[in-house]
Amino acid sequence: MTEIDVGEPTATEKVMDRADIFRAAHVLVTSLDWGDSTADVIDVLRVAEFLAEGEL
């Protein structure tokens, strides 16, 4: 398989990657059963940070 080297990601691509990570974290956090409380933005941000650290 041929691999094309397109260079470093642009600023827009980096922002979009961060947005995708945040969306995934939001879906994950809101799909959990929180009992009587609800998920807060800080919960989503913490999960997003965790997902971002695990990037390859």
Side-chain angles (χ1 to χ4, degrees):
M1 178 185 249
T2 304
E3 185 175 314
I4 300 173
D5 181 14
V6 293
E8 293 296 315
T10 64
T12 302
E13 290 170 326
K14 289 178 183 178
V15 168
M16 292 306 297
D17 287 345
R18 289 175 52 201
D20 291 338
I21 290 171
F22 186 84
R23 267 190 231 105
H26 184 267
V27 168
L28 179 61
V29 168
T30 57
S31 68
L32 297 173
D33 181 15
W34 289 82
D36 292 337
S37 62
T38 58
D40 199 1
V41 173
I42 194 69
D43 299 315
V44 176
L45 289 174
R46 286 184 180 152
V47 171
E49 286 176 347
F50 175 79
L51 293 175
E53 290 173 4
E55 283 188 87
L56 296 175

